[in-house]
Amino acid sequence: MSRQPSEIAAARRRLAARIWRHTDGQGLITAPCRSRALESALALRLLQAQGFSGPERGRLIAFLERTRRTSTPGSLDSLLAGAALGTEAPAGASVERALDRFDHFTRGRKQVLMRAVRVVLDGAPVAGAAPPGRPPQERLTPWSTALSTACQVILGAAPGPPRLTTLLFAQRSPGIWEGHLLCHLLTLHALRRVPGQEAVVADGTARMLARQNADGGIPFICGEETYATAVAVVGLALGRSPDQGRPLLALADRLRALQDDDGGWAYAPDVRQTDVDTTGVCVEALRAVDPLRYREAINGAGAYLRARRGADGGFPTYLPGAPSEAVMTAAAARALDLDEPDTPELLGGALAFIAAHQSPQGTYGPGWSRCDAHAVFRTVLALRRARSLPDPGLRRTARRATESGLGHLVRTQNPDGGWGQREGEASDAISTALSLATLAGSPAAPPLVVHRGTGRLLACESSDGSFPSRPDSTGPRGLVFDVPVLSDVYVLLALARLATPRHARSQGVARSFRPGVPV
């Protein structure tokens, strides 16, 4: 056991050096997205429809062929690749029903999305495919509106002036609007059905091909640099050495410069739609580096979050009035400044919302991560802030929810010492890192559980110092995508929390909170 502290420190140094090497020279961690079968299949269909025969088409075909060979037979990736290549049966109902069991408030829109994908890949309408109308009170981001409109047109809705305006708006960017390639592709497939839009489709196709990855495939999004950088800054700032001060300031300054006029942050620098999740972690990053230097930005973020608080005390991902979510609420709760006079009320409502939405198993519903430990990590750190609140009943509620979350992690540790995304699944680096980041420093965490988990996490390191992992991010929710650097930054965060005494954490990353309040 005595070797682990030195092994943690060494792995942490190697990983930090690797992450520093992945900065882009402008204060951001490079965070490209890997190719995915869904977007690649849609891209191939788009090229086929236009009779495009350039080398990009051959590279797409090669990517989809590799995907079909290496994917589990019958999996969604296998079905999508096979349908696009024409080597297997049409996509059919299996693709359309891929998200039927996805239990989330966005389920209806996801089912319409998959129905539209089926129509594109099979090349023929689906009987009874008219899309159901969405609730008029549902608030959608601009890209969700564009996706919904594209699916309606693909499924046979008339592309009248309002719909056409929405589709063309999504193609107005000189690059990829909002960095969202799935939205880009589906709006092109919809516009392909509108006479007179051939030039727009050809131009959009060229811009899509400019984002083709080296492996020949097309990713879901262009990248996730802002979010990845913010998480990395939190990990780098924990127990940082004096020589890291100036480089960390460069990263934090870049994050500050990316703050939107509304006070929030988007997940990438070329994206305008801000969100509570990225805003929360950016606030933590700025506080970790220098809360006084970034006071104005932090105050602006506080106003942004307050404007999005729901009547139920929770917070949504994007827009005021949208359904609140536990992990988003945790992000906001962590970012709220304890020195503001209304924070006790806001924090109390947020923590009560989190506790009320915890399952009996200590987990939370599906969100932007498939990994149970991701939600537990975010919520446990937020629930610990209840110690600053005067209400003893709320403190007890938060303590019980914290114990339930920690208990889930202890109970679901695999025999190899790691954790999988869901109970009973094989261990992976991200799930193991987030579980350890939650357990680190907790009096309720059995030392042997942490020790075995740490050993498993250290064993995940590859020869180049990275920590490859099964991806956990989902987008649209229910469909997994891969930004590989996220595994490294999550592992760095775990190693930092394992190596840093709890007192130092409360005075370091949380020093912008009240001194002495543990996190």
Side-chain angles (χ1 to χ4, degrees), residues 255-266 269 271-275 279 296-297 299-305 307-308:
L255 289 176
R256 176 177 59 182
L258 289 171
Q259 187 175 27
D260 193 79
D261 292 342
D262 67 6
W265 278 265
V271 175
R272 291 301 309 276
Q273 177 61 60
T274 54
D275 64 83
T279 299
E296 184 177 349
N299 287 343
Y304 170 90
L305 293 171
R308 278 150 183 77

Side-chain angles (χ1 to χ4, degrees), residues 280 283-284 287 305-306 329-340 343-344 346-348 350-351 354 378-391 394-395 398-399 402 502 506 509-515 517-519:
V283 168
E284 290 198 59
R287 281 177 169 162
L305 293 171
R306 284 168 169 79
T329 302
R334 287 282 293 167
L336 292 171
D337 194 329
L338 291 178
D339 292 329
E340 294 293 330
T343 294
L346 297 178
L347 185 58
L351 300 187
I354 291 170
R378 304 289 293 279
T379 53
V380 163
L381 291 189
L383 289 163
R384 286 174 180 166
R385 301 199 80 193
R387 297 165 181 170
S388 67
L389 298 178
D391 184 347
L394 185 56
R395 292 200 301 270
R399 185 170 61 251
T402 298
R502 193 175 184 194
S506 67
V509 158
R511 61 186 171 145
S512 51
F513 306 153
R514 286 179 182 165
V517 177
V519 296

Side-chain angles (χ1 to χ4, degrees), residues 157-184:
R163 290 192 176 108
L164 182 57
T165 298
T166 298
L167 296 175
L168 292 174
F169 183 81
Q171 290 295 325
R172 79 195 194 287
S173 171
I176 303 298
W177 177 60
E178 297 289 74
H180 199 312
L181 281 147
L182 177 58
C183 181
H184 184 84

